[in-house]
Amino acid sequence: MRNIYQSSVLSMTGFSLISHGLSTDCRAIGRKWGLFVTSDPYQAYPSFPAGAPYQFVEDPAVELVAAGPVKQRRLTVAFRLILAIPHAFLLFFLNLAGLVVAFLGWWGALFTGRLPGFAVTYLSGLARWNARYYGYLYLLTDDYPPFKFDDDLAYPVVIAIPPPGRLNRFAVFFRLILAVWANIVSGLVIYGASTIVAFIAWLITLITGRLPRPLHLAFTAVLRFETRYACYLCMLTSTYPEKLFGDEPDGSAPLAPVPAESAWGAPPAAWAPPADGTTPGYGAAPGYGAAPGYEPTPGYGTPAPGYGGPTGYGSAAPVTPPANWRLILPQSAKVLLIVFIVLGMITDVGTQVARFALANKTANALNVKTTAISQWNSAYTTLKTTSGQYSTTACGQSLSCLTNADSHLSTAMTTFADQIQTITMPPAAVPAANAVVADANKVAQDLYTLSQVTDISLYQGTYSGTGVNLELQRLQLDVANFATALSNS
């Protein structure tokens, strides 16, 4: 499992570097890796203030924070899927509309280098709603999510989307191709998290009233990666989705203990909002970090710079963001993420095998049906041809003509019944085919009896006694029923 984890992280890191280079312009690449790209050869080196160290600049990523784990009501846990149906119904149509908005926004970003404002507003609001919905579904919180696009900073699951900026048109054009690796990782993790692990997490929460912290952090990491992937795909950010296994601890800023009464983690003691009510890089007005009833979230570091205030759909005045955005996962949560990936691989492979088996079964059934129809048509056509050649209607009272025709028709009926028995039939058509075979053999036996009669008067009595006329009518009815059963099989 460790090898799986290492290979996944290394592969994802390599692809992230490539895609990041396509997702930013040359100047951004230079800033990130300590190079200064310019067309002027005399400005090939950056100038630094005296004594100022050079700092790497990372493009801001979409962040997500989830409070908890806290006590949850067992009744709402038991009926969580039912309670989430209204959101699932609305989000189905809202996400369909989001596809249209993203497509229109893609054209705007391709020609202007920026995602149009209407797309930013709708898609960012949709990302917030989806994050709250899936956070509720993943048992990260017991609070019912609000039906709105706006930021709801009182809700225990909150995301921060960087302000819209310039987009590389080349990266926009190939966005679907660039997102392939993230799509694979996202799919595997979601498959794994939605299997038996989800049921176990639900059962534990139902019994104990609380989602265990390793599962809570693992589900939070899954939701954060999925949110980053969706925002990257919708061009809300040029930062490639990464850090599924959490952020690296910030050695320069050790984590302080978090008070037990804080939901999100209280800001450092030295922190206080400025007199004008604003904080650098964020919105205004305090009130984000003290939702009673939630436990602290140790394992989160300090917020990264570069995020603006909440926007979209007339949201309320921006408030102070949570003090901790960094997601530092313990080893237990990382092991769970590896389990998610392994289970996702097994689920994906199993799904593909099942689909192949179903497709193969469907193809075989269709081939059996097609072959059966062809063989049936051939046998029935031969019988009709023979019946036309040896019809008894023109024989009149000629005994030799009648017995000769009956002999040939008896042989044709026997041959027809044998041909039907050799056809591999679809299961649904087998009973009707058996009825046709039985009737054809009975008619063949009666016709053979008639062909052995040596007196014309005796022939009439034998014909009436065998009831061959009624048997022929029953055979025609069974043939019609078989044709219907074969067509519908």
Side-chain angles (χ1 to χ4, degrees), residues 39-96:
S39 58
D40 187 353
Y42 295 100
Q43 297 180 4
Y45 298 95
S47 57
F48 298 96
Y54 185 74
Q55 297 181 351
F56 295 118
V57 178
E58 293 283 353
D59 291 333
V62 174
E63 297 291 356
L64 180 144
V65 66
V70 298
K71 292 289 292 183
Q72 301 192 36
R73 294 164 292 178
R74 291 178 175 84
L75 186 63
T76 62
V77 172
F79 297 98
R80 183 61 53 97
L81 292 178
I82 298 176
L83 293 173
I85 287 177
H87 281 278
F89 178 79
L90 290 176
L91 284 173
F92 174 79
F93 296 101
L94 293 174
N95 284 319
L96 286 180

Side-chain angles (χ1 to χ4, degrees), residues 27 33 67 76 86 97 126 211 235 273 321 327 342 368 405 424 441 449 471:
R27 295 176 182 269
W33 302 111
T76 62
L126 189 61
L211 183 67
M235 294 161 293
L327 177 59
V342 173
V368 168
T424 302
N441 284 327
T449 301
E471 291 171 359

Side-chain angles (χ1 to χ4, degrees), residues 120-121 124-125 128 149-151 161 164 308-316:
V120 172
T121 301
S124 60
R128 296 186 189 100
F149 288 86
D150 306 12
D151 267 316
I161 302 175
T311 58
Y313 284 87
S315 58

Side-chain angles (χ1 to χ4, degrees), residues 114-159:
R114 290 183 179 274
L115 190 64
F118 74 90
V120 172
T121 301
Y122 185 87
L123 296 175
S124 60
L126 189 61
R128 296 186 189 100
W129 194 333
N130 275 293
R132 291 191 292 260
Y133 164 70
Y134 283 107
Y136 181 72
L137 209 58
Y138 285 162
L139 301 172
L140 298 181
T141 177
D142 195 39
D143 287 8
Y144 198 74
F147 292 86
K148 62 181 182 179
F149 288 86
D150 306 12
D151 267 316
D152 190 340
L153 303 182
Y155 193 74
V157 177
V158 180
I159 68 172

Side-chain angles (χ1 to χ4, degrees), residues 247-327:
D247 300 309
E248 295 295 330
D250 187 1
S252 61
L255 299 177
V258 183
E261 67 274 5
S262 171
W264 302 97
W271 181 91
D276 59 359
T278 62
T279 56
Y282 290 91
Y288 194 86
Y294 293 97
E295 291 188 356
T297 53
Y300 293 88
T302 56
Y307 297 93
T311 58
Y313 284 87
S315 58
V319 298
T320 304
N324 297 323
W325 284 109
R326 295 173 63 81
L327 177 59

